[in-house]
Amino acid sequence: MGPHPAQPASSPRVLSIQSHVVHGYVGNKCAVFPLQLLGFEVDPIYSVQFSNHTGYPSFKGARFDGEHLKSLIAGLEENGLMKGYTHLLSGYMGSVTVLEAIADVMQKMKAANDGHVTYVCDPVMGDEGKLYVAPELVQAYRNRIMPLASVLVPNQFEAELLAGCSSPITSLQGGLAACEALHAQGPHTVIITSMQLPEDTHHVTLLASTTQEQSAGEQFQRLALRIPKIDAYFTGTGDLMAALLLAWLHHHPHDLKLAIEKATKGLQLVLMDTAAACGAHVLKAPRTSEISAARELRLVQNQAKLAEPELHVLSLSEGAQKLECIALGGQGQPMAKIPSTPSVGTS
């Protein structure tokens, strides 16, 4: 496969700071390979290194602190290797010291690259009402990271935490209000990657909001994407989605709609193939080591779909799965359904 048509002569370079596992796919194992497929040089730094992800019955490994990160960055600086980065991607951190070090890293990256660095932040803190990091990380994200982030890609629970929502998001209007609160803290683009709205139980809703100019007009600055649910649970989906969003937002900087469609479709294609390979028994079984291993995302087997999602059809045995994109007004009211880009989400 030749270079991506939107790829510049000098390939974009990502510093990706997040977790790593020896076996399976979460964190950097979910980010590096897809980004490379999409034309990026990727330099990974690990916030933790575990034998496998924490959904298994047991895991071994080590967590790294802020001093470890600072030492690695110092080595890059001494060799003049901080110049040339176009993006910073961060995921699971695990400690305030690492988070504070990342703020320092972003400042150094901008200084070495004339300020031209896009920071895509996946604030991995919890899901479905459950916080799985220390509570002080929430305030650390608000105080240190949000003012530096260009693009924020939280799930619904993380968006509620960072926006200071007094109650869960239950509507598009509530989601957009959260996005506005998050914009006010720094990021020009906020993509809530997975919202569950009470009146739409068969879909997950992705809500995207940007203050950046869009080639198709300002009505494309606020979008909702309805995504058919896949009845299965997989680990690493948020990490993969963050990497895909970074890539497609870079390749389509003034077309938020196309970027979120391509990222979502790439993720859905991987999930559908992984679910099909698992079979119904594995998808419904308790998570033993054997079952967890069987549910690992099939990235290598789906590399062609990740690289060119528009050439592939979203389908399951039950029939075609469609992505439905909706333009939103300022108060979150649907303005119009937007036809998907040709061959995205249709059969």
Side-chain angles (χ1 to χ4, degrees):
M1 184 177 67
H4 192 280
Q7 183 177 328
S10 178
S11 295
R13 180 176 292 273
V14 180
L15 182 65
S16 179
I17 307 174
Q18 51 187 312
S19 61
H20 175 77
V21 290
V22 177
H23 177 86
Y25 291 95
V26 297
N28 266 321
K29 285 285 287 288
C30 271
V32 174
F33 179 57
L35 285 169
Q36 290 172 331
L37 285 174
L38 291 167
F40 292 77
E41 297 284 358
V42 188
D43 295 339
I45 292 179
Y46 307 151
S47 58
V48 305
Q49 181 164 12
F50 292 155
S51 55
N52 44 269
H53 68 67
T54 58
Y56 283 74
S58 66
F59 63 94
K60 303 292 183 182
R63 301 175 185 271
F64 303 119
D65 60 15
E67 291 304 312
H68 173 80
L69 174 55
K70 290 177 182 178
S71 174
L72 294 173
I73 296 301
L76 294 176
E77 287 183 300
E78 289 173 8
N79 289 287
L81 298 176
M82 291 293 282
K83 188 169 180 61
Y85 284 114
T86 57
H87 294 78
L88 171 64
L89 173 63
S90 68
Y92 177 77
M93 292 299 108
S95 75
V96 171
T97 64
V98 177
L99 209 57
E100 290 176 341
I102 283 180
D104 295 336
V105 169
M106 181 57 183
Q107 300 284 21
K108 291 176 183 291
M109 292 176 70
K110 292 178 72 173
N113 295 281
D114 300 321
H116 302 305
V117 178
T118 297
Y119 178 13
V120 177
C121 174
D122 180 6
V124 181
M125 295 184 291
D127 200 6
E128 297 181 345
K130 182 180 179 181
L131 192 69
Y132 46 65
V133 298
E136 55 264 29
L137 261 75
V138 179
Q139 198 59 43
Y141 268 108
R142 288 181 183 150
N143 293 343
R144 298 300 309 276
I145 300 301
M146 296 289 285
L148 299 173
S150 313
V151 180
L152 188 74
V153 292
N155 61 31
Q156 179 176 340
F157 177 59
E158 292 156 352
E160 292 165 351
L161 285 174
L162 293 175
C165 296
S166 58
S167 59
I169 296 169
T170 58
S171 66
L172 293 176
Q173 292 89 336
L176 276 186
C179 288
E180 289 301 317
L182 296 170
H183 283 311
Q185 296 180 55
H188 61 65
T189 299
V190 176
I191 301 173
I192 304 178
T193 56
S194 55
M195 296 196 317
Q196 183 58 70
L197 302 181
E199 73 278 6
D200 197 6
T201 57
H202 297 294
H203 292 80
V204 172
T205 299
L206 179 151
L207 185 62
S209 174
T210 187
T211 60
Q212 300 285 89
E213 182 179 342
Q214 298 297 292
S215 56
E218 66 178 16
Q219 69 269 30
F220 287 81
Q221 290 180 315
R222 294 173 296 277
L223 302 168
L225 192 63
R226 295 177 70 240
I227 307 161
K229 268 189 175 180
I230 296 174
D231 188 20
Y233 179 83
F234 301 101
T235 302
T237 56
D239 305 322
L240 175 57
M241 185 63 169
L244 294 175
L245 285 168
L246 182 156
W248 292 119
L249 286 168
H250 175 81
H251 290 314
H252 306 292
H254 300 294
D255 195 338
L256 179 63
K257 173 181 174 291
L258 183 57
I260 63 172
E261 282 185 337
K262 285 188 173 184
T264 301
K265 190 176 179 189
L267 174 63
Q268 291 292 94
L269 287 165
V270 170
L271 295 182
M272 288 177 182
D273 180 72
T274 304
C278 287
H281 168 69
V282 170
L283 296 178
K284 298 182 184 301
R287 285 201 283 175
T288 63
S289 293
E290 182 180 7
I291 294 298
S292 295
R295 289 188 195 173
E296 294 284 4
L297 298 179
R298 288 164 54 86
L299 298 188
V300 173
Q301 295 85 348
N302 288 281
Q303 57 187 287
K305 296 175 183 178
L306 288 168
E308 297 181 297
E310 68 274 17
L311 300 184
H312 300 272
V313 173
L314 282 176
S315 63
L316 288 173
S317 57
E318 293 83 3
Q321 301 291 296
K322 295 183 179 180
L323 303 179
E324 182 179 272
C325 197
I326 305 168
L328 302 175
Q331 300 302 314
Q333 70 275 18
M335 291 170 56
K337 293 182 182 179
I338 311 169
S340 289
T341 303
S343 63
V344 172
T346 59
S347 60

